[in-house]
Amino acid sequence: MGFFAFLGAFTFLYTLAYIVLLAFLDCDLRLKVAEMVGKKIAAVRGKVIWIVGASSGIGEQLAVHLAKGGAKLVLSARRRDELERVKAACLAANPSLQHQDIFILPMDLLQVDNHRFQLNEVLRHFGTLDVLVNNAGRSQRAAWETVDTVVDRQLFELNVFSIVSLSRVVVSYFAQRSPTLDGHIAVTSSIAGLLGAPFSPSYTGSKHAIHGYFESLRSEKLGTNLKITLLCPGPVHTAFLAESFTGVPGEKFNQTVQETDKRMTPERCGELCAIAIANELYEGWMALFPILPVVYLMTYFPNMGRIIFKFIGPRQLQKLRDSKTTVEMSKSSDPVS
């Protein structure tokens, strides 16, 4: 066998093995390797980690896993009563933590003028901050052409600009504390930040914007000790659909996630996010089959992926994401109708 024939056969077998492997994984290969042989979540022991959007879902489960690892936590969201419940769950998960090791800081992330004050409250309580986790945000379900631009602006204010504002305050603190920018920013993006998810135009745009902002920050701070982790979950069993934006200002989607939907549990998603943070990964993808192979296909073979997407059509892509039809479409929108 000649060299090029060998190279071709090796490439084919490697790709085939990779595809087969992805059928059994619920996260990208780099994150899986970190889970198996990388740092344990206990690597965060003693670190002060501020989770914004910690009152439910992924943020709640991330807090519990980080608490198990021994981190000191700042829990932020609008609802104090839910934060108290999450704090109790964190203390129960790790009895070695003391009451003062978990600080509840209610906040409305949209009130950007308060961000510096809220950071000062964190510093007043713990004296330092090691990691900021931006987990706040809302999703959306609406047809692209039906969305009012008011909704676009509202969603970007929450999912992008408020997160960027708080992160700038924290990065400035890291810079003042150390010329090498010792610190870590983690942001919950989405698989929709990597692909063009149908029927969530403003949301998808906001997650792509998050990648743009934080990849810009990453490249600007090369050579420093600033770590940036972009967390990209796919469908997860949380109550996000009910709170999702639609295309109409002030309207909520008000649909519920069903137990039969094919989604990752928030417990597993929170664990994978904690592993990605503990290992200071650049990015982490987490989703059940077949979402993950689709992401790899569109990332590394985009031309082939677009051909396959065109054949599948938006109706099936929507069902792949939501396990059902959540937004009705015209027949002209779906080539397989």
Side-chain angles (χ1 to χ4, degrees), residues 150-183:
V150 171
V151 174
D152 292 319
R153 293 189 179 96
Q154 289 175 341
L155 200 150
F156 266 69
E157 286 291 344
L158 176 60
N159 285 15
V160 183
F161 300 134
S162 61
I163 287 172
V164 169
S165 171
L166 182 61
S167 298
R168 282 177 172 151
V169 169
V170 171
V171 170
S172 296
Y173 160 71
F174 290 155
Q176 292 168 6
R177 183 178 64 178
S178 167
T180 56
L181 277 172
D182 296 321

Side-chain angles (χ1 to χ4, degrees), residues 116-150:
R116 191 167 298 279
F117 167 79
Q118 286 149 348
L119 172 61
N120 287 338
E121 288 295 290
V122 173
L123 300 179
R124 181 187 61 80
H125 186 85
F126 284 118
T128 190
L129 175 64
D130 299 299
V131 184
L132 169 66
V133 181
N134 292 294
N135 182 63
R138 286 172 60 190
S139 190
Q140 181 192 41
R141 293 297 182 273
W144 195 95
E145 68 274 15
T146 67
V147 178
D148 193 302
T149 54
V150 171

Side-chain angles (χ1 to χ4, degrees), residues 11-311:
T11 302
F12 173 77
L13 292 173
Y14 176 83
T15 303
L16 182 63
Y18 210 88
I19 292 172
V20 171
L21 183 62
L22 288 176
F24 299 96
L25 297 182
D26 60 1
C27 61
D28 68 86
L29 192 58
R30 180 173 45 186
L31 180 51
K32 187 63 179 179
V33 170
E35 180 181 21
M36 295 175 64
V37 299
K39 296 178 183 176
K40 303 302 181 185
I41 297 175
V44 303
R45 185 177 307 278
K47 290 186 177 182
V48 176
I49 302 179
W50 184 5
I51 306 174
V52 181
S55 61
S56 62
I58 297 172
E60 174 184 353
Q61 295 303 320
L62 173 61
V64 170
H65 281 286
L66 292 174
K68 287 179 182 178
K72 298 179 180 180
L73 299 176
V74 182
L75 304 178
S76 288
R78 290 176 299 170
R79 299 173 294 174
R80 175 180 283 276
D81 57 336
E82 289 299 304
L83 293 175
E84 294 284 0
R85 180 183 59 79
V86 175
K87 178 176 179 175
C90 290
L91 292 173
N94 187 349
S96 67
L97 288 177
Q98 303 299 309
H99 177 79
Q100 63 270 20
D101 290 331
I102 301 179
F103 177 46
I104 289 179
L105 180 62
M107 65 181 290
D108 183 346
L109 191 60
L110 288 169
Q111 296 179 357
V112 295
D113 291 341
N114 292 336
H115 287 175
R116 191 167 298 279
F117 167 79
Q118 286 149 348
L119 172 61
N120 287 338
E121 288 295 290
V122 173
L123 300 179
R124 181 187 61 80
H125 186 85
F126 284 118
T128 190
L129 175 64
D130 299 299
V131 184
L132 169 66
V133 181
N134 292 294
N135 182 63
R138 286 172 60 190
S139 190
Q140 181 192 41
R141 293 297 182 273
W144 195 95
E145 68 274 15
T146 67
V147 178
D148 193 302
T149 54
V150 171
V151 174
D152 292 319
R153 293 189 179 96
Q154 289 175 341
L155 200 150
F156 266 69
E157 286 291 344
L158 176 60
N159 285 15
V160 183
F161 300 134
S162 61
I163 287 172
V164 169
S165 171
L166 182 61
S167 298
R168 282 177 172 151
V169 169
V170 171
V171 170
S172 296
Y173 160 71
F174 290 155
Q176 292 168 6
R177 183 178 64 178
S178 167
T180 56
L181 277 172
D182 296 321
H184 190 173
I185 303 284
V187 189
T188 301
S189 176
S190 170
I191 293 299
L194 306 170
L195 310 177
F199 305 104
S200 299
S202 317
Y203 176 78
T204 298
S206 74
K207 294 304 183 181
H208 276 72
I210 283 293
H211 281 256
Y213 269 106
F214 286 93
E215 289 296 349
S216 174
L217 174 62
R218 193 198 308 278
S219 62
E220 185 175 320
K221 303 305 180 185
L222 289 172
T224 73
N225 291 331
L226 180 65
K227 291 90 175 177
I228 298 167
T229 300
L230 293 169
L231 304 166
C232 303
V236 179
H237 263 293
T238 65
F240 75 99
L241 267 184
E243 295 295 317
S244 292
F245 285 91
T246 65
V248 180
E251 182 179 73
K252 293 183 179 180
F253 194 56
N254 284 326
Q255 286 196 25
T256 57
V257 173
Q258 304 299 317
E259 289 297 324
T260 54
D261 289 354
K262 190 173 183 179
R263 299 176 180 275
M264 180 177 287
T265 66
E267 293 82 4
R268 175 59 174 163
C269 189
E271 179 184 24
L272 288 170
C273 289
I275 293 167
I277 291 169
N279 285 273
E280 300 173 346
L281 300 184
Y282 280 13
E283 195 167 284
W285 306 346
M286 49 216 77
L288 299 183
F289 182 85
I291 299 291
L292 207 58
V294 169
V295 178
Y296 271 92
L297 177 67
M298 291 300 294
T299 301
Y300 297 107
F301 305 98
N303 292 330
M304 183 185 301
R306 289 189 179 97
I307 293 172
I308 294 173
F309 269 32
K310 187 174 182 179
F311 175 77

